[in-house]
Amino acid sequence: MPAKIISGKEVAASIREELKERAARLKEKGIVPGLGVILVGEDPASVSYVTAKAKGAEEVGIFEETVHLPADSSEEEIIKTVDRLNQDPRFHGVLVQLPLPKWVNPDKVINFISPEKDVDGFHPINVGKLLRGEPCPLPCTPYGVQQMLVRSGYSPEGKHVVICGRSNIVGKPLAALLIQKKPGANATVTICHTGTRDLKRHTLQADILVAAMGAPKAITADMVREGCVVIDVGVNRVPDPNSPKGFRLVGDCDFEAIKEKAEAITPVPGGVGPMTVTMLLMNTIEAAERTLQG
Ligand code: GUN
C-alpha cells in the first residue's frame, strides 16, 4: 500500500489556529506579540524564508518587522542591530536569518541575541538547556519535526529514530530533543553523518528516518525499511525549465520510490517547511506569554 502522506501544511494550519487564540488572549491583556527579523543581503532562499515568516506572523496576529541590511554589512553593524532589537520592548522574539556573509562569524552574532528573545533556540545557553532537558525555546525545525510526528499519530516514544545529518540547526538539536525522558520524545536515537560507514546498514534499522543531509535523492528506497516513517527535512533547488522560476524544490529523499515502501512520508514542499515557520511563531507567542509570568 502506498505511504500515507504527512501534510506539514495541514498540521501547521491547525497549530496556527491555536496560536491565533493565544495571540488574541495576549492582546486582551495589552500585549501584542512581536518578532524582529534581521536579514542580510539578497540570498533568494533567505528572502523567501523571511517572507514566509512575516506572512505567518501576520496570519496569527504577531507584529513582525524585518530589518533588511545590505549584503556588504560588517559583523559590527549586524551585532549593533541585534542589540537594538534586544532592547526594543516591542519584540519578544529576535532572529538573524542564516547564512550570513562569509566575513561574519554567525556564532559570534548569535551569542549577542538575548537568550530570552532567542526564538530560534540557537544561543549557547538555550542549546545547553535543551541538552539538560530544562525549559527553553526549542529550535524550530526539530520542534516542528517532533510536533508533526506526534500530531500525525507517529509519536517517537520508544522508537528507533535514525537522523541523517549532524547540523547545529537540525541533526544535533533533534537528537537532543528526542532523547529526553518526556512525552513525545523518549526515543532511541542514532545520528549518521559524512563519517558514517555503511549508511544503509543504519537507515534500515529505523522506525523513523529523518533525512537532513542537504542533497537530492541522498536517501533511496533500498535504504528504507518496509513500514518506516520518513521525515524529509531537505530543501534543495533543482533546475526545472518547465517551472516559471526555472527551478523546483526537492527534498533529500527519492520520494516517488520511497512512498511505495514506507508507512508514511513527508512531501517537499508542504512537509517540514511550514512546520518550521509555525514553531517560530509558537516560540514568539511563548516568549510574549513569559513576560506576563514576570
Ligand atoms: N537558515 C536556515 N534555517 C534557519 C533557521 O531555522 N533559522 C535561521 N535564523 N536561519 C536559518
Side-chain angles (χ1 to χ4, degrees), residues 36-90:
V37 176
I38 300 171
L39 170 65
V40 184
E42 309 292 339
D43 172 59
S46 292
V47 170
S48 136
Y49 290 140
V50 167
T51 306
K53 290 170 186 182
K55 214 171 130 211
E58 190 191 344
E59 184 193 328
V60 304
I62 292 172
F63 160 71
E64 191 273 351
E65 200 169 278
T66 299
V67 180
H68 198 163
L69 298 176
D72 61 357
S73 299
S74 68
E75 194 171 87
E76 200 192 338
E77 283 163 332
I78 299 168
I79 288 171
K80 264 194 187 154
T81 310
V82 169
D83 211 37
R84 181 161 65 76
L85 301 193
N86 280 342
Q87 307 295 334
D88 189 331
R90 293 177 304 158

Side-chain angles (χ1 to χ4, degrees), residues 52 58 106 136 150 172 247 292:
E58 190 191 344
C136 62
V150 169
K172 282 191 248 175
F247 68 87
L292 277 178

Side-chain angles (χ1 to χ4, degrees), residues 239-246:
D240 182 357
N242 296 323
S243 153
K245 290 179 179 162

Side-chain angles (χ1 to χ4, degrees), residues 14 150 154 269:
S14 88
V150 169
Y154 300 110

Side-chain angles (χ1 to χ4, degrees), residues 82-151:
V82 169
D83 211 37
R84 181 161 65 76
L85 301 193
N86 280 342
Q87 307 295 334
D88 189 331
R90 293 177 304 158
F91 301 119
H92 303 92
V94 171
L95 78 85
V96 179
Q97 186 64 32
L98 303 175
L100 289 170
K102 60 180 184 307
W103 55 86
V104 178
N105 178 348
D107 293 337
K108 192 170 165 197
V109 172
I110 287 166
N111 286 353
F112 274 90
I113 298 174
S114 157
E116 294 76 36
K117 295 194 175 188
D118 170 35
V119 279
D120 261 332
F122 291 168
H123 190 283
I125 287 195
N126 290 323
V127 176
K129 285 184 175 176
L130 170 62
L131 200 57
R132 287 166 55 138
E134 294 175 24
C136 62
L138 299 174
C140 306
T141 302
Y143 195 11
V145 168
Q146 183 201 35
Q147 287 300 307
M148 187 158 51
L149 285 166
V150 169
R151 290 171 186 247

Side-chain angles (χ1 to χ4, degrees), residues 1-5 254-262 265:
M1 212 171 51
K4 181 182 164 205
I5 309 299
D254 184 353
F255 180 86
E256 290 304 324
I258 293 173
K259 84 172 178 355
E260 300 305 321
K261 210 171 171 188
I265 184 166

